[in-house]
Amino acid sequence: MRLTYTSDVWWKNAVVYCLDVETFKDGNDDGVGDFRGLTQQIDYLAGLGVTCLWLMPFFPTPNRDDGYDITDFYSIDPRLGTLGDFVEFMRTAHDRGLRVIADLVVNHTSDQHPWFKEARSAKDSPRRDWYVWSDKPEPDNPEQVVFPDKEDSIWEYDKGSRQYYLHSFYRHQPDLNVANPEVRDEITRILGFWMELGLSGFRVDAVPFLIENVAPELASPHDFLADLRAFMTRRKGESILLGEVNVAYKDLVTYFGEGLGDQITMCFDFIGMQKAWLSMARSDATPLAAALRERPKPPKDCQWAVFLRNHDELTLDKLTDEEREEVFQAFGPEKDMQIFGRGLRRRLPTMLGGDLRRIKMAYSLLFSLPGTPVIFYGEEIGMGENLAEEGRMAVRIPMQWSEDGGFSRAEPVREIPEGSFAPDRVNVADQKRDTDSLLRWFQLLIERYRECPELAWGDYTVLETGHKAVFAHRCDADGATVVVAHNLCDTAQEVELTLEGIDGYQLTDLLADGTAEVSDKGAVRLPLGPHGSRWLRASPPRISPEDASVKSR
């Protein structure tokens, strides 16, 4: 594999960093994060080693759903800055070698969007068919209600026009009628506008909801995704779609584009994420190992996006009721920590009790899983949540830059947590000076991940370890091999692995100093400390580990 190829298909071993401009850094002392503040922290992000920034919605909004209720797809929320500020941010990010993608939220608009105001003004309005209306909606199905704590139906009666409109999410977010060709054309214009300003792609919100209303107009709803991807490729060949597709593996592969890979470029691995949490709850690698063995291989230039936490609740909807309760009891036993009956509104460090050894193991596992890692701002320093905030907002707290917070010199837009995860305990400035900090661990993991394209590009094999608490796998690409092992329990373990095809090789640790020898029968014994992790590169006799890398071939 040529290194130039990994650059052409950059997303396959990128490191994606999700952030909310509103809560990242205030640049004008009004208490709200903005693009000027974000731009001032570009060097921090480049120094961390991330390669792609994913921006949560930054458009004008009534802010009833943290920006996911949009009133103008072609502008910037004035609290966050101007289009000029955005362009300056993009120029600086590109100068530091960072790509940028943004949330594409076109399943719905705010009910305050001019389109919807016009649509509801009269049944013969030119934009009436831009939304989904019904005289008599279908009977409610509780399973269709995404936010059962706020809604009991996906239809809302509009008194003015005497019809019901569809809202897959909140009633103040009417669904766009993507079956309408005019709506589809407008969506491509939105993509084209922001790509001209430098974006390298979009994270597509709630993809199954986006296409489910297209069927009457197109032979296949997936044709719409293929059309979007084709448009983006024509405009900017390296652009991507990162899809939020939380469905079973057997149904998910169609979102990549069957075998063609011409729809969603990367899909989040929700099932692998949930099984990873179940494995950590049980100190048993079996669920995660089973998920990775079941996970289908994406088309050639597509990829899985792997994650442990994100900006939403930690959804556990693909677990059984019994499995979900196990995770609840292990990581969020109090009702206030749970949400929607299916998830947790906590960040990873608090779920793991602040145990740095266990936290480091979890993130080592994340970066070694086959795919492209996606992290949420503040994870690199171990930020906690603020359960005093409503719902999913608990994890969307101001970034902690210094002992006094460092987010803003004014009252911050959201409260900063207190206690053991407060800024005086958890912040960037302190961890920069601590060589054993979580921040430094993240930098090492990102550096090693980028040095090991086998993890993202190679074929992976889940290995038998003989110990249920130890998860091990190998990744092979172009004759190069990386072996990884993680101990999910709090007692030391020693495992024997069988590694076919690399008899007599040496394994060199990549996260610490150390080596192990593979016998002429392909066996190797690996000791692991409590919650220990090891990444090892295989090299044949008389070949240095550096020369055994895919990148050197």
Side-chain angles (χ1 to χ4, degrees):
M1 181 194 305
R2 300 188 311 273
L3 187 60
T4 52
Y5 190 45
T6 69
S7 178
D8 290 340
V9 194
W10 61 269
W11 55 87
K12 291 198 71 168
N13 68 329
V15 178
V16 181
Y17 186 98
C18 173
L19 65 89
D20 187 350
V21 178
E22 182 182 16
T23 56
F24 198 67
K25 179 66 177 178
D26 176 15
N28 62 357
D29 299 329
D30 65 352
V32 180
D34 48 44
F35 277 104
R36 291 187 179 185
L38 172 57
T39 303
Q40 292 302 313
Q41 299 300 329
I42 287 292
D43 285 332
Y44 163 76
L45 294 167
L48 180 60
V50 300
T51 64
C52 178
L53 305 181
W54 155 21
L55 305 183
M56 293 170 63
F58 50 77
F59 313 99
T61 172
N63 218 26
R64 297 181 66 184
D65 185 24
D66 198 27
Y68 286 87
D69 48 332
I70 295 169
T71 57
D72 183 357
F73 290 100
Y74 294 98
S75 190
I76 302 289
D77 183 340
R79 300 174 308 137
L80 310 183
T82 65
L83 278 173
D85 294 329
F86 176 82
V87 170
E88 285 296 290
F89 155 72
M90 291 297 302
R91 187 198 67 81
T92 307
H94 288 163
D95 178 70
R96 302 307 196 271
L98 296 172
R99 291 181 171 88
V100 183
I101 65 174
D103 262 319
L104 180 67
V105 189
V106 290
N107 169 262
H108 56 259
T109 68
S110 165
D111 61 3
Q112 300 303 304
H113 196 293
W115 299 345
F116 188 68
K117 288 184 175 182
E118 182 180 344
R120 75 192 312 182
S121 65
K123 288 187 178 180
D124 60 354
S125 164
R127 295 198 194 272
R128 183 70 174 184
D129 196 38
W130 281 43
Y131 295 85
V132 183
W133 300 90
S134 177
D135 291 320
K136 186 178 181 181
E138 299 175 5
D140 287 316
N141 179 354
E143 293 183 0
Q144 293 178 303
V145 179
V146 177
F147 302 124
D149 62 328
K150 299 292 185 182
E151 304 290 349
D152 56 13
S153 173
I154 59 172
W155 293 94
E156 181 70 8
Y157 187 66
D158 180 54
K159 294 180 181 179
S161 60
R162 298 182 180 180
Q163 278 190 311
Y164 293 84
Y165 63 83
L166 178 68
H167 61 90
S168 296
F169 297 94
Y170 294 110
R171 67 188 68 188
H172 58 80
Q173 294 170 328
D175 279 17
L176 282 166
N177 179 16
V178 185
N180 184 335
E182 293 182 3
V183 174
R184 298 200 298 273
D185 287 346
E186 189 67 31
I187 291 172
T188 59
R189 275 190 285 272
I190 294 168
L191 269 62
F193 176 82
W194 292 105
M195 289 168 68
E196 285 298 314
L197 294 182
L199 289 187
S200 294
F202 303 87
R203 175 261 185 184
V204 190
D205 188 54
V207 181
F209 291 97
L210 175 63
I211 68 170
E212 67 181 4
N213 295 319
V214 185
E217 295 292 329
L218 299 178
S220 168
H222 288 268
D223 289 348
F224 175 51
L225 296 177
D227 289 345
L228 286 183
R229 180 78 177 279
F231 170 83
M232 293 173 62
T233 301
R234 290 195 302 271
R235 291 290 179 92
K236 194 173 186 178
E238 65 171 16
S239 59
I240 67 164
L241 292 174
L242 170 59
E244 182 188 34
V245 187
N246 183 12
V247 299
Y249 282 142
K250 64 180 178 62
D251 301 319
L252 190 147
V253 290
T254 59
Y255 288 87
F256 284 121
E258 298 294 348
L260 299 176
D262 61 349
Q263 295 182 34
I264 300 296
T265 320
M266 293 198 295
C267 289
F268 285 103
D269 184 5
F270 279 92
I271 293 174
M273 176 274 292
Q274 296 180 46
K275 295 298 186 180
W277 281 103
L278 181 61
S279 283
M280 287 192 289
R282 292 177 173 176
S283 298
D284 181 352
T286 305
L288 175 58
L292 283 181
R293 289 187 175 113
E294 178 191 354
R295 193 177 77 174
K297 187 174 182 178
K300 181 181 178 183
D301 286 340
C302 294
Q303 182 61 295
W304 289 103
V306 293
F307 68 109
L308 289 176
R309 281 299 286 116
N310 61 14
H311 62 296
D312 282 333
E313 76 277 7
L314 171 61
T315 184
L316 302 168
D317 64 316
K318 295 299 182 286
L319 302 182
T320 66
D321 292 344
E322 293 76 14
E323 291 171 340
R324 188 179 307 115
E325 188 59 32
E326 284 185 68
V327 179
F328 280 167
Q329 290 305 311
F331 302 122
E334 300 176 19
K335 285 296 181 183
D336 190 39
M337 300 172 177
Q338 302 166 17
I339 188 170
F340 307 140
R342 64 173 186 259
L344 291 166
R345 59 191 203 104
R346 308 190 74 193
R347 281 177 171 256
L348 183 148
T350 56
M351 286 191 283
L352 299 185
D355 183 342
L356 186 58
R357 183 174 55 183
R358 196 177 186 190
I359 293 168
K360 286 184 174 182
M361 181 278 296
Y363 285 121
S364 171
L365 176 65
L366 168 64
F367 277 93
S368 69
L369 289 175
T372 297
V374 181
I375 58 177
F376 188 42
Y377 77 95
E379 285 196 277
E380 72 274 19
I381 58 172
M383 279 171 49
E385 69 278 345
N386 182 6
L387 293 175
E389 294 282 356
E390 183 179 5
R392 298 175 296 172
M393 304 299 286
V395 302
R396 303 175 189 178
I397 58 176
M399 182 67 177
Q400 297 171 190
W401 295 102
S402 58
E403 288 187 355
D404 61 356
F407 165 73
S408 175
R409 285 185 280 191
E411 185 72 21
V413 63
R414 298 198 191 118
E415 289 187 15
I416 295 174
E418 299 178 348
S420 56
F421 291 89
D424 62 338
R425 304 281 190 89
V426 177
N427 66 76
V428 171
D430 286 348
Q431 294 196 26
K432 280 185 174 181
R433 295 188 290 268
D434 181 358
T435 57
D436 293 324
S437 69
L438 184 59
L439 177 62
R440 294 306 186 194
W441 180 246
F442 259 81
Q443 289 176 315
L444 176 63
L445 291 174
I446 292 172
E447 181 179 300
R448 293 295 181 264
Y449 170 78
R450 294 285 291 172
E451 291 173 351
C452 297
E454 299 93 333
L455 295 174
W457 287 78
D459 295 320
Y460 68 87
T461 305
V462 177
L463 302 172
E464 295 292 342
T465 67
H467 290 268
K468 69 176 185 177
V470 177
F471 176 75
H473 67 288
R474 62 182 286 179
C475 297
D476 300 274
D478 290 353
T481 300
V482 171
V483 179
V484 183
H486 288 88
N487 181 8
L488 305 183
C489 73
D490 59 2
T491 57
Q493 303 287 339
E494 184 172 90
V495 297
E496 181 173 303
L497 306 179
T498 298
L499 302 173
E500 297 180 0
I502 54 173
D503 308 357
Y505 278 42
Q506 177 175 276
L507 301 181
T508 302
D509 276 286
L510 300 177
L511 302 179
D513 292 331
T515 59
E517 302 295 330
V518 182
S519 73
D520 56 7
K521 295 183 179 180
V524 63
R525 297 195 67 82
L526 295 179
L528 290 159
H531 295 304
S533 54
R534 296 183 73 175
W535 297 18
L536 305 111
R537 175 172 298 290
S539 57
R542 296 180 296 280
I543 300 293
S544 71
E546 292 75 20
D547 289 337
S549 166
V550 161
K551 294 197 301 180
S552 66
R553 292 165 186 264

